[in-house]
Amino acid sequence: MADFILEIGLEEMPAAYIDGAVKELADNAQALFDKERLVYADLDVYSTPRRLVLYVQGFAEMQKDLSEEVKGPSVKAAYKDGEAAKPLQGFLRANGFTEADVYTKTLANGDYVFCKREEKGQPTKEILANVLADLILNMKFPKSMHWGSSEIRYLRPIRWILSLYENEVIPCQVENIHADRYTNGHRTLGHAHVEVPAVADYFSIMEAEYVIVDQKRRQKMIEDQIAQIFAGTDEHYQEDKGLLNEIVNLVEYPTALKGQFGTSYLDLPDELVITPMKEHQRYFPVLKNDGTLTNGFITVRNGSEKYLDVVRQGNENVLRARLADAEFFYNEDLKKGLESGEEKLKNIVFQEKLGTIYEKTQRLQYIAEALAKAVGEDATVTADAVTAARCTKMDLVSNVVSEFPELQGIMGEYYYDHEHPDKKNIGQAIREHYMPRYANDNLPASEEGSLVSVADKLDTIVGCFYAGIIPTGSQDPYALRRQALGLANIVIARKWSVSLKELIQIACAAYKQTGLEFTDAETADKIVAFFEQRVLKVLKDANVPADVIQATMKAGYDDFYQTVCRADALQAFMADTDAAVLKATLDNNGRAANITVKHKAQAVDTSLLNAPEEKALYQAVEDFSGQQAEDIANKNYGHMLEHYTQLNDTVEKFFEKILVMDEDDTIRQNRLSLVKGYADVLDDYYKLDELKLS
C-alpha cells in the first residue's frame, strides 16, 4: 500500500470558487481511479487560496486485473456461409479481438457471440503518470482564464505541481510545468521551492512553512481563537457561516484578533456599521450578550501572531475610514429627506421594455391597493400599504445605498422613520417589501409589508414574462423563481384566499396605468404554469406525501392558500381514516370514474330513477353537494372528505343491484350521469385516482 499527494499550485484563487473546485477535483479523481481500476483506502481533497491538494491513502501497488465478457452480434448475424460476416468483423476490430477469441452463448432471445477480455494490472504509479495531466486539465470552473502564451484555461495560473507517490515523483507535465517534489510555503512567511522528501513529510513541512492545508482545521483554528478572545467576557461575535467559510478560503495560516472603532459610530444604524465590516472588510461584528452592537470587531489575519498590534491598528484605520464615509453619506441623506429621491427615479430604468423605477412604484401602489381590497384589508392598512409602495424605491438614489447597495430597503425604513416617527409601520413595510431576499429568509411580519412585497414580486414576474424574459434552465436574471416562491409563501402565511389569475389581471391593469397593455392570454397561462413548481415546492417543504400533492395539485392551484388547506386536509384524512373505509372509498370512486370516463356529464332525469338504489344514490349525492357547499365556505375540507366516505354503503348497494349499462339507451345514459355525478363531485378539489394506499 502506498500514499499519494498531488498539489496544484496556483495564483490566489477567488474564495467563492474554492469549495466548488475541491468537490470537482474529488469527484473527478474518484471517477478516474474507478475507471482505471485503481484501488485505494481513502481520498481527500484539501485547499488553500494558493493550492488544491489531492491526498490518497492506501493505494494498491497494482491496478486491478481486468476480466470481462464482451457481447457481440447474434450468431445468425455474425456468420454468412460459415464465414465471419461484417457485423462480426466490426465487433472484433472495434474491441481488438480475433476470431480465435470467439465463443457463443445461448441467451433467452437466441445465440450470441462473446469474447473475453483479460488484462493484467499495471503498476499504479505507471497508471498515475499517464492520467494526472488529464485529471488536472479536465477541471471545470465557473470562470476560467488563460495567461501569457499559455493556451490552456484554468481558474488561475498554474505555478507548480507537486506529485509524490511515497517518496517517488510521478511525472506529469502541464504545458511547460513539470511535476516534481517541490512546493511553496506561505507567500510572506514561508519559503519558495521547498523540497518534500516523501508524502509522509508533506503536512508537517507545510505547517512549518505557515500553511495549514486542511481547510476544516483552519476553520477550527479560527473558531477556537475567537472563543479564546471572548473567554470570560460578556461579549460574543456575530456568527455568519458564509463569511466564516469565505475567510477560511482567504487564508493559509489564520490568526484571529479583535479590534475597535470609535464609539461615536454606534449612533449610526446598526446595519450601516455592520455592512462595511462584513461586506467590505470581512470582519465579524462584536455584540454584547444581550445582542447590543459594540464598537469591537473580529478579523482574521493570514499570518502568525508576530506584529499583531501593527496589523490590528491597520485594520482599525481602514474600518475607521469606511465608517466615516458611511456617517457622512447618512447625514447628507437625512438632510435631503427620503422623498427628495422620487423625481430621480424617473431617470432610472427598471427594465428597458417595462419603463422606469418611478413607473414601477406607480404600479406598486395600484397593485397594493387592489390586493388589499381582494383579501379584505381595512382602509387604514390599505392606505398605509399604498404609501409604502410609493416610497419603496426612493432610497435607491440615496448616498448610502449608492455606496452600499446591500442596504436598499433597510435605509428606506430609517429615512422614513426619521421623517415620520408616528408611522413606523410604513417604514417597516418599506424594509420588508424585499423579503424574502434569499432561501430561508424571513417573510414580511406586517400586513403592509406583505401587501407591498407581493405587489413588487407580482409586478416583476408579470412584466418580465410579457417582456419575454422567462427563466430557462439556469438562466433567471431577475430571480423570478425565487420571487414567485416568496410570493406564494407570503400569500399562504397570510392565509389570503385570492386567485392567481386575478392577481395577474391586477398586475396587467397596473401596467396599463403606465402605458403598457398586456392582453396575450397565452402569456398569462405561462405565468400560471410557472407557479405550479413553486406551489409544489411549498408542499414538498411541508413534507406532504407525493401522492397527496398530486391529488391536490391536479385539481388546481389557482388559490395558493386553499391549495395548502386542501393538501393538509387530505394528508390528515389519509392518516386518520380506517384502512378498510379508505380502500372502499378509493375503490368506489375509481370504479365510478372508469365506467363514466367517456360519458359527458348531464343533468339526471329523476323521473327515470325507478329502483330504490338509484333514488338512494341520487339523494345521497344531492345531500352531499348541499353539505359540501357549506364545508367549502368554511374551508372544512376534512369534513367534506369524511362525509364522502359515508356514501360508500349507498354506492356499493347501487353497483350490486343496478345494471348501469342498460339496453335502453335513455336509461343507460341517465344512470351514467348519476354515477358520474358521484365520481366527479370532488373533482374541483381532489383527484382521488392519484392516491396510493400503503
Side-chain angles (χ1 to χ4, degrees):
M1 306 294 280
D3 294 346
F4 171 74
I5 284 277
L6 173 69
E7 181 187 72
I8 309 168
L10 304 147
E11 292 292 339
E12 273 82 354
M13 296 178 282
Y17 294 164
I18 292 179
D19 289 347
V22 167
K23 184 178 186 306
E24 173 89 0
L25 182 54
D27 290 347
N28 289 1
Q30 290 169 7
L32 179 63
F33 296 160
D34 288 346
K35 177 186 173 185
E36 297 294 336
R37 311 193 311 279
L38 298 181
V39 180
Y40 55 90
D42 197 16
L43 181 152
D44 289 297
V45 175
Y46 302 116
S47 63
T48 78
R50 299 180 67 205
R51 68 202 78 224
L52 294 171
V53 180
L54 172 65
Y55 177 42
V56 184
Q57 293 175 275
F59 254 140
E61 297 286 344
M62 301 294 291
Q63 177 191 40
K64 279 179 67 176
D65 294 340
L66 174 66
S67 179
E68 64 176 355
E69 200 171 47
V70 185
K71 180 184 174 185
S74 67
V75 172
K76 185 176 180 181
Y79 296 99
K80 185 176 182 181
D81 299 329
E83 299 292 330
K86 287 186 177 180
L88 178 56
Q89 293 173 9
F91 167 69
L92 296 174
R93 186 167 53 251
N95 289 280
F97 296 128
T98 67
E99 281 193 65
D101 299 318
V102 173
Y103 58 95
T104 62
K105 288 178 69 173
T106 300
L107 303 180
N109 56 343
D111 295 335
Y112 283 83
V113 164
F114 282 84
C115 291
K116 182 166 286 187
R117 176 180 287 120
E118 294 185 335
E119 293 178 9
K120 197 70 176 172
Q122 302 299 308
T124 294
K125 57 188 179 183
E126 292 183 11
I127 303 297
L128 289 174
N130 291 328
V131 301
L132 286 183
D134 287 339
L135 176 61
I136 295 170
L137 294 175
N138 287 340
M139 295 273 288
K140 299 290 188 297
F141 307 102
K143 291 184 179 180
S144 298
M145 61 179 291
H146 63 80
W147 56 96
S149 59
S150 172
E151 293 185 1
I152 68 170
R153 298 183 66 86
Y154 219 67
L155 179 57
R156 283 296 182 268
I158 299 174
R159 294 309 187 201
W160 75 88
I161 299 172
L162 177 146
S163 175
L164 284 179
Y165 184 85
E166 289 297 329
N167 61 354
E168 293 182 61
V169 172
I170 300 296
C172 164
Q173 181 177 354
V174 175
E175 293 220 328
N176 64 339
I177 300 173
H178 293 264
D180 55 29
R181 62 175 68 251
Y182 295 94
T183 183
N184 288 275
H186 189 283
R187 187 177 287 279
T188 57
L189 300 178
H191 299 87
H193 206 62
V194 178
E195 183 177 1
V196 180
V199 172
D201 304 312
Y202 175 78
F203 291 99
S204 59
I205 287 175
M206 296 312 298
E207 186 158 352
E209 291 293 326
Y210 294 94
V211 176
I212 306 299
V213 176
D214 185 344
Q215 60 271 28
K216 291 181 181 177
R217 188 174 163 218
R218 292 202 303 278
Q219 178 172 327
K220 182 68 166 51
M221 288 174 65
I222 293 171
E223 291 171 334
D224 289 348
Q225 290 167 6
I226 294 176
Q228 185 61 37
I229 289 172
F230 291 115
T233 74
D234 63 348
E235 296 178 344
H236 65 279
Y237 77 111
Q238 187 181 72
E239 294 186 27
D240 184 322
K241 291 182 179 179
L243 178 57
L244 176 59
N245 187 67
E246 182 179 5
I247 291 171
V248 168
N249 286 334
L250 285 171
V251 299
E252 292 198 315
Y253 194 89
T255 300
L257 60 101
K258 182 184 177 187
Q260 292 185 320
F261 55 89
T263 56
S264 63
Y265 293 118
L266 293 176
D267 294 334
L268 297 173
D270 284 0
E271 294 89 346
L272 190 50
V273 177
I274 291 171
T275 297
M277 274 195 223
K278 293 176 68 171
E279 302 299 329
H280 294 256
Q281 299 305 127
R282 309 298 186 266
Y283 298 165
F284 293 103
V286 174
L287 310 175
K288 289 286 188 183
N289 287 341
D290 63 2
T292 306
L293 183 67
T294 75
N295 66 323
F297 66 89
I298 295 292
T299 185
V300 180
R301 177 194 188 183
N302 184 20
S304 67
E305 294 185 356
K306 195 172 183 180
Y307 305 119
L308 209 56
D309 287 340
V310 176
V311 174
R312 178 183 292 107
Q313 184 176 353
N315 281 276
E316 290 175 346
N317 290 341
V318 171
L319 182 58
R320 187 181 303 114
R322 287 280 189 187
L323 293 178
D325 287 345
E327 182 180 49
F328 173 78
F329 292 144
Y330 179 64
N331 289 330
E332 288 298 304
D333 287 339
L334 290 181
K335 291 176 187 176
K336 294 176 183 177
L338 179 65
E339 295 184 38
S340 67
E342 184 172 26
E343 192 66 24
K344 295 179 182 178
L345 297 180
K346 296 179 180 179
N347 299 318
I348 302 177
V349 174
F350 164 54
Q351 204 283 327
E352 59 182 352
K353 294 181 181 179
L354 303 176
T356 64
I357 295 289
Y358 175 80
E359 290 170 324
K360 182 176 178 67
T361 61
Q362 299 301 300
R363 295 193 297 270
L364 296 190
Q365 295 173 66
Y366 180 96
I367 296 171
E369 182 174 13
L371 175 60
K373 290 177 180 177
V375 300
E377 296 288 4
D378 63 38
T380 300
V381 169
T382 301
D384 287 348
V386 171
T387 300
R390 172 174 167 260
C391 299
T392 49
K393 310 297 180 181
M394 291 178 183
D395 67 347
L396 293 179
V397 294
S398 67
N399 289 301
V400 167
V401 174
S402 296
E403 180 70 13
F404 306 111
E406 306 90 342
L407 295 179
Q408 56 186 297
I410 295 169
M411 298 313 302
E413 177 183 28
Y414 281 112
Y415 296 148
Y416 192 89
D417 288 352
H418 180 76
E419 298 175 51
H420 307 279
D422 58 329
K423 297 294 288 184
K424 290 195 173 184
N425 62 315
I426 294 177
Q428 180 180 353
I430 293 172
R431 174 198 288 255
E432 290 179 339
H433 91 277
Y434 286 108
M435 299 170 71
R437 294 172 182 252
Y438 47 83
N440 302 318
D441 188 20
N442 293 328
L443 300 179
S446 69
E447 294 174 83
E448 297 89 344
S450 298
L451 289 167
V452 183
S453 180
V454 169
D456 187 38
K457 292 167 176 58
L458 183 65
D459 175 81
T460 299
I461 293 165
V462 171
C464 284
F465 264 76
Y466 276 100
I469 307 169
I470 301 174
T472 56
S474 61
Q475 300 300 309
D476 188 5
Y478 285 83
L480 301 187
R481 295 187 184 97
R482 175 178 57 78
Q483 296 202 52
L485 181 60
L487 186 157
N489 275 315
I490 293 170
V491 168
I492 292 165
R494 281 280 149 195
K495 300 183 179 180
W496 287 340
S497 188
V498 61
S499 163
L500 172 58
K501 293 177 181 176
E502 181 184 346
L503 291 178
I504 295 170
Q505 290 173 355
I506 289 172
C508 288
Y511 270 99
K512 190 174 182 179
Q513 299 287 318
T514 57
L516 294 171
E517 190 160 2
F518 301 145
T519 57
D520 179 20
E522 184 178 343
T523 300
D525 290 342
K526 288 180 180 178
I527 298 171
V528 171
F530 176 68
F531 272 91
E532 180 179 9
Q533 291 300 316
R534 273 70 265 171
V535 181
L536 277 171
K537 177 166 175 52
V538 171
L539 294 175
K540 287 178 181 177
D541 288 348
N543 296 316
V544 178
D547 62 329
V548 172
I549 292 175
Q550 289 302 311
T552 305
M553 291 287 290
K554 287 198 172 182
Y557 53 90
D558 185 59
D559 186 320
F560 301 153
Y561 174 58
Q562 292 300 321
T563 301
V564 171
C565 290
R566 287 188 284 121
D568 289 345
L570 183 57
Q571 182 177 4
F573 171 75
M574 294 289 288
D576 299 340
T577 303
D578 178 81
V581 173
L582 193 58
K583 184 178 186 306
T585 303
L586 298 186
D587 287 348
N588 291 335
N589 178 270
R591 182 177 181 182
N594 289 336
I595 291 173
T596 60
V597 66
K598 295 183 179 180
H599 182 72
K600 187 175 181 180
Q602 54 190 14
V604 176
D605 185 347
T606 56
S607 67
L608 297 175
L609 303 177
N610 297 315
E613 292 80 11
E614 289 181 291
K615 294 177 181 179
L617 179 58
Y618 176 79
Q619 191 59 50
V621 173
E622 285 292 296
D623 292 345
F624 176 85
S625 298
Q627 179 63 48
Q628 183 183 41
E630 183 179 334
D631 288 339
I632 298 307
N634 295 327
K635 303 179 182 61
N636 195 348
Y637 298 105
H639 184 264
M640 179 181 72
L641 290 164
E642 181 185 348
H643 190 191
Y644 191 68
T645 66
Q646 296 169 12
L647 301 181
N648 286 341
D649 186 56
T650 303
V651 174
E652 288 160 8
K653 286 179 180 177
F654 173 86
F655 281 129
E656 181 182 349
K657 298 291 186 180
I658 302 300
L659 177 63
V660 176
M661 308 306 285
D662 194 89
E663 292 181 359
D664 186 315
D665 184 62
T666 302
I667 294 176
R668 181 171 65 251
Q669 295 301 320
N670 198 55
R671 286 176 177 172
L672 284 169
S673 293
L674 175 61
V675 174
K676 191 167 185 64
Y678 160 75
D680 292 353
V681 74
L682 291 181
D683 262 16
D684 288 343
Y685 311 99
Y686 300 108
K687 302 296 183 184
L688 297 185
D689 60 328
E690 294 291 332
L691 295 173
K692 305 289 188 295
L693 294 177
S694 56

